[in-house]
């Protein structure tokens, strides 16, 4: 009987060792790790740089978990830590301002610690964030390209007579109106005017205004009413400025039958751009390709979550650690 008990104990011990080895093998192979996830942190304060619903659908379609959270910029490291603990191997982060260095350092340390990738979208996070190892990437659009596109449109309108040279001085007389909330207004204007000149059309500023969106129409109408002469084109930073410019121009009798006065602006998405064209507000518009950015972001994030090169099997080519997609062009028909 004693020998039988010893024999049974040996069998149980061997079985326990075998089970332990199996469990250890599973552990070392990552079987007990949380399911792979893509986490999205929206710190943009309401700016819609990404279609969050479409991003989630694309990620889940690749059999990955997806979780999105709205977060204040200062709380990004804490939120990122929570997503990494839940299994996030890729974090997509939507920004409306560059990152403070302290926040950037904390995010990079988390990425290193957890083997995760950071993919920023919206506002560029800052060169210092992207200068290290292949942990951090940026996906966005260069507002300079939007300015160049609008500059070409302005030149063509002038050369083809849709922005008539009323005073016959061979210069495009323009007014600039900007919504102070349009973060890229300065870059947009600079490259717009440079591109216009590149296409052989030189311009002359009559007035330049910027302010709060709900005050632009009143301020523009008052300031423009004091001008000697009339403009030949209105250049605007975004949709709110374009609508204000239209209202002011109509109140001053500058737009109407036989009074062409084109308005050009940038827009945050295709729907807004087309609406501005279709209702007659804008003669030309370019827009941030949110759908294209969202689709590209999903591909980068899925690759990162699989711990592969972020641009693998895509047609995206980085400039350093940045992927830049073009703005899209919308013009009025006929």
């Amino acid at each position: 009987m004693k020998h039988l008990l010893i024999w049974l104990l040996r069998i149980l011990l061997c079985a326990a060792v075998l089970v332990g080895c199996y469990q250890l093998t599973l552990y070392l192979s990552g079987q007990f790790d949380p399911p792979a996830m893509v986490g999205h942190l929206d710190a943009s304060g309401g700016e819609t740089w990404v279609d969050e619903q479409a991003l989630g659908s694309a990620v889940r379609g690749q059999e990955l978990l997806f979780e999105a959270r709205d977060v204040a910029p200062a709380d990004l490291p804490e939120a990122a830590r929570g997503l990494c603990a839940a299994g996030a191997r890729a974090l997509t982060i939507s920004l409306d301002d560059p990152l403070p260095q302290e926040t950037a350092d904390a995010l990079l340390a988390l990425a290193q610690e957890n083997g995760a990738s950071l993919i920023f979208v919206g506002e560029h996070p800052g060169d210092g964030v992207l200068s290290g190892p292949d942990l951090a990437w940026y996906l966005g659009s260069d507002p300079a390209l939007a300015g160049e596109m609008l500059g070409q449109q302005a030149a063509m309108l002038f050369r083809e007579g849709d922005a008539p040279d009323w005073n016959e001085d061979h210069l495009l007389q323009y007014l600039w109106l900007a919504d102070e909330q349009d973060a890229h207004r300065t870059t947009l204007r600079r490259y717009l005017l440079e591109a216009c000149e590149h296409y052989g059309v030189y311009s002359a500023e009559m007035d330049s205004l910027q302010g709060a969106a709900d005050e632009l129409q009143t301020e523009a109408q008052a300031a423009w009413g004091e001008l000697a002469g009339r403009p030949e084109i209105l250049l605007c930073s975004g949709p709110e400025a374009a609508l204000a410019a239209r209202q002011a121009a109509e109140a001053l009798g500058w737009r109407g039958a036989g009074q062409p006065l084109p308005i050009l602006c940038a827009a945050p998405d295709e729907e807004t751009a087309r609406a501005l064209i279709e209702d007659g507000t804008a003669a030309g518009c370019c827009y941030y390709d949110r759908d294209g950015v969202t689709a590209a972001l999903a591909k980068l994030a899925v690759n990162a979550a699989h711990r592969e090169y972020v641009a693998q099997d895509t047609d995206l080519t980085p400039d350093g650690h940045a992927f830049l997609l073009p703005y899209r062009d919308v013009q009025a028909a006929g």
Side-chain angles (χ1 to χ4, degrees):
M1 186 67 178
K2 180 179 178 181
H3 293 295
L4 179 61
L5 288 174
I6 293 172
W7 182 73
L8 289 173
L9 286 172
R10 286 176 177 174
I11 291 175
L12 291 173
L13 179 61
C14 289
V17 170
L18 289 173
V19 170
C21 290
Y22 177 68
Q23 296 282 354
L24 179 61
T25 300
L26 291 178
Y27 176 80
L28 293 174
S29 66
Q31 293 296 318
F32 295 121
D33 290 346
M37 175 197 291
V38 172
H40 179 64
L41 295 173
D42 186 354
S44 66
E47 292 291 339
T48 53
W49 299 110
V50 176
D51 184 335
E52 190 175 290
Q53 184 175 354
L55 177 64
S57 295
V59 169
R60 294 187 186 101
Q62 298 300 312
E63 300 182 353
L64 293 167
L65 299 181
F66 178 81
E67 184 175 338
R69 300 179 184 177
D70 292 338
V71 60
D75 297 331
L76 277 171
E78 181 181 353
R81 185 180 298 279
L83 287 175
C84 286
R89 297 179 182 175
L91 294 174
T92 59
I93 303 174
S94 184
L95 299 175
D96 201 37
D97 291 294
L99 287 175
Q101 192 60 50
E102 182 179 358
T103 303
D105 290 344
L107 287 172
L108 289 171
L110 276 170
Q112 181 76 52
E113 176 184 337
N114 292 278
S117 295
L118 308 175
I119 308 171
F120 297 96
V121 66
E123 182 64 40
H124 194 287
D127 291 334
V129 184
L130 307 181
S131 61
D134 291 349
L135 295 174
W137 304 85
Y138 171 69
L139 172 67
S141 296
D142 187 346
L145 302 179
E148 291 172 359
M149 191 171 288
L150 290 178
Q152 180 182 5
Q153 291 181 13
M156 295 305 107
L157 287 168
F158 187 70
R159 287 166 56 173
E160 294 169 8
D162 295 313
D165 187 8
W166 294 110
N167 60 359
E168 299 182 345
D169 65 352
H170 305 292
L171 295 174
L172 180 60
Q173 315 289 328
Y174 74 89
L175 294 172
W176 170 255
L177 190 63
D179 179 355
E180 63 187 11
Q181 293 300 310
D182 292 331
H184 302 305
R185 59 191 181 278
T186 302
T187 302
L188 184 76
R189 179 184 182 183
R190 172 189 167 189
Y191 284 91
L192 190 164
L193 296 174
E194 287 185 2
C196 191
E197 184 173 324
H198 173 77
Y199 285 96
V201 174
Y202 294 85
S203 59
E205 177 190 295
M206 296 183 67
D207 194 31
S208 174
L209 288 172
Q210 75 171 34
D214 58 356
E215 299 174 357
L216 282 177
Q217 189 266 330
T218 301
E219 294 177 357
Q221 187 173 331
W224 297 351
E226 301 295 322
L227 295 175
R230 54 160 296 164
E232 294 159 353
I233 198 167
L234 303 179
L235 306 177
C236 303
S237 63
E240 296 296 338
L243 290 168
R246 176 183 180 176
Q247 293 165 351
E250 289 175 349
L252 292 167
W254 288 348
R255 276 173 60 113
Q259 296 289 316
L261 180 57
I263 296 174
L264 299 182
C265 71
D269 54 64
E270 182 177 8
E271 182 181 3
T272 302
R274 294 199 179 280
L276 290 166
I277 295 292
E278 290 169 5
D279 72 5
T281 295
C285 193
C286 66
Y287 63 91
Y288 172 81
D289 186 10
R290 186 174 61 190
D291 291 343
V293 168
T294 299
L297 183 62
K299 293 177 182 178
L300 297 177
V302 167
N303 281 334
H306 288 310
R307 301 213 164 109
E308 298 170 342
Y309 171 55
V310 290
Q312 181 169 304
D313 298 326
T314 74
D315 57 0
L316 299 169
T317 302
D319 178 4
H321 282 193
F323 300 91
L324 297 179
L325 274 61
Y327 276 74
R328 299 296 180 183
D329 183 6
V330 181
Q331 288 181 292

